[in-house]
Amino acid sequence: MTNPFFLFSDLESSPVGMPQMYANLSKNATVPNMVGGILWKDTLNKRIYMYGGDSYGTPPSPFYLYAYDIMCNHWDSFGPPTGAASIIPTSWGAGVSIPERGEAYYYGGFFSNMSAPGWTGPPQASNRLIRYSMDDNSWANLTGPDTVRRAEGVMVFIPAGDAGFLVYFGGSRDLGNGTMIPQPLDTIFLYDLANAKWYSQKATGRIPEDRKRFCGGATWTDDQSSYNIYIYGGGGFPPDTTGYDDIYVLSIPSFQWIRGPYPPNSNVSGPYPKSMHTCNVVNHAQMLVIGGYYSNDTTFSCDAENVWGQHNMNLAEKNRESNIWAEYLPELTTYTVPNFIRTAIGGEPTGGATATAPLSGFAAPELGEVLSRKAILTGLA
């Protein structure tokens, strides 16, 4: 069941092994209730922007950008998009914010009668990349990697190249007339922010099963010799729609998929397949998995009620039990590469990966050289 609450977790304390969650922030009636959208963070101006999603409880209204002012505990309306760009928000797309650049991005997603006022017919996915510039409240409607319409995948940011890369994979492809098929996870799409250029690269290793509405987060060591993108769970496609309860890691620049340590039997999924949740990396070292839907739960029971539906992934397994699922540790602020990843990419816990290219080489000759550079972004650490 969807709820209209605006929640936050206190990351400075963990009284029961997880951050304390509160539901006492303001959210007035003018701020719509949405599902399947995204919150973009703006650390400079201490704001959170709400973009996209399906309207919950009422028909969709014309799009206004709303932002929550963290310091003042109130919402502001930035009005409809300004400029020449035609912006019609979608739902269940893939988004990420880059506060160091003052930018946020959203790729794909569904146009439907729940996300776009006046929409008729079946939902249709988008093939566009939307950019929002926080400093001047401006928008751009950019091209995607190709003409294919996609939704329900994951997009993260990595600080490689001259200005960073967006990395997208998974989810669904729209064949038209409401027909959706999987977007296989052996194809990785990368957007070079400095040159506004898309790349497509094949991945190898233990490719995850086709999935949608999963979540992911990226981390890296100080030397940036590898960027490790952890994903968890996701919904399945017909005929098996139950979904997944498992962890995978995509390591770049070797573009290897690595099966994570959960569940211990790498040939099966876990007993609690989950989708529509969020992954939230904290200080490069931990990733809080929050919310979502258990697809095999017919009792509508609460998810881990004593810790408010939060689960923590210790990305380096730096705890007494050497487990990836572990209590949240506020003092943990650095990432080291765990053994199960180093087995595939080489190097030491602090970096020095020796696998620095895909097994079959880069699809575009210049991609390897660009990925080898480190983006210099203010406040990135």
Side-chain angles (χ1 to χ4, degrees):
M1 178 180 295
T2 300
N3 70 65
F5 302 138
F6 184 46
L7 312 175
F8 82 97
S9 295
D10 181 359
L11 301 181
E12 298 299 323
S13 61
S14 52
V16 291
M18 289 291 166
Q20 176 69 50
M21 185 174 283
Y22 299 91
N24 58 354
L25 300 180
S26 71
K27 184 173 180 290
N28 58 54
T30 62
V31 182
N33 297 323
M34 310 296 288
V35 59
I38 191 170
L39 296 175
W40 287 324
K41 64 179 180 181
D42 177 358
T43 53
L44 177 63
N45 297 302
K46 303 296 188 296
R47 292 182 179 274
I48 300 172
Y49 299 89
M50 184 174 73
Y51 178 79
D54 288 335
S55 181
Y56 175 71
T58 60
S61 302
F63 172 57
Y64 277 61
L65 181 70
Y66 288 92
Y68 175 72
D69 187 318
I70 297 172
M71 303 302 292
C72 298
N73 186 29
H74 73 81
W75 289 84
D76 297 309
S77 172
F78 283 65
T82 57
S86 176
I87 306 297
I88 303 175
T90 57
S91 60
W92 303 108
V96 64
S97 62
I98 313 170
E100 300 83 6
R101 289 179 55 85
E103 294 175 344
Y105 291 84
Y106 196 87
Y107 171 65
F110 291 116
F111 301 108
S112 74
N113 59 8
M114 294 298 293
S115 64
W119 185 268
T120 59
Q124 181 184 84
S126 168
N127 62 1
R128 309 295 292 181
L129 176 69
I130 301 299
R131 182 183 68 215
Y132 175 64
S133 298
M134 301 172 184
D135 292 340
D136 59 4
N137 186 34
S138 66
W139 298 83
N141 194 339
L142 310 173
T143 59
D146 49 32
T147 60
V148 176
R149 299 175 180 273
R150 296 184 176 89
E152 305 176 299
V154 157
M155 186 165 67
V156 300
F157 170 78
I158 60 173
D162 295 315
F165 274 82
L166 306 179
V167 183
Y168 176 87
F169 48 81
S172 306
R173 292 188 292 170
D174 187 350
L175 299 183
N177 297 319
T179 302
M180 306 298 297
I181 63 172
Q183 170 61 57
L185 282 92
D186 66 345
T187 301
I188 312 300
F189 300 101
L190 304 101
Y191 184 69
D192 180 354
L193 293 170
N195 298 296
K197 182 177 181 178
W198 282 98
Y199 295 91
S200 175
Q201 176 65 48
K202 284 293 184 180
T204 57
R206 175 71 182 274
I207 309 296
E209 296 82 359
D210 296 334
R211 62 192 64 201
K212 58 186 177 180
R213 300 191 184 187
F214 57 106
C215 72
T219 188
W220 50 87
T221 55
D222 288 343
D223 73 347
Q224 295 177 225
S225 59
S226 69
Y227 303 93
N228 297 318
I229 303 170
Y230 291 68
I231 70 168
Y232 171 67
F237 289 85
D240 183 8
T241 58
T242 302
Y244 300 96
D245 173 25
D246 53 17
I247 297 169
Y248 281 88
V249 176
L250 173 65
S251 190
I252 294 174
S254 65
F255 288 89
Q256 294 184 75
W257 278 109
I258 304 159
R259 177 68 183 240
Y262 174 83
N265 182 348
S266 65
N267 293 319
V268 301
S269 179
Y272 303 106
K274 195 174 196 181
S275 60
M276 299 187 285
H277 45 293
T278 65
C279 286
N280 310 272
V281 175
V282 182
N283 290 326
H284 295 291
Q286 299 175 96
M287 186 165 75
L288 286 166
V289 178
I290 302 176
Y293 169 71
Y294 282 125
S295 52
N296 66 346
D297 181 11
T298 59
T299 65
F300 299 101
S301 58
C302 291
D303 170 21
E305 186 173 4
N306 63 320
V307 291
W308 314 283
Q310 300 176 109
H311 305 270
N312 185 57
M313 202 179 290
N314 188 311
L315 301 178
E317 300 177 301
K318 293 170 65 174
N319 50 72
R320 287 175 295 180
E321 297 80 17
S322 296
N323 285 337
I324 195 162
W325 292 116
E327 291 186 347
Y328 175 77
L329 302 173
E331 69 275 11
L332 188 58
T333 59
T334 58
Y335 173 69
T336 56
V337 184
N339 184 63
F340 78 90
I341 296 178
R342 284 186 282 119
T343 299
I345 68 172
E348 303 296 330
T350 54
T354 57
T356 56
L359 291 176
S360 57
F362 288 100
E366 76 273 16
L367 180 57
E369 194 278 327
V370 176
L371 285 173
S372 70
R373 301 200 290 267
K374 301 178 183 178
I376 306 300
L377 302 175
T378 303
L380 187 61

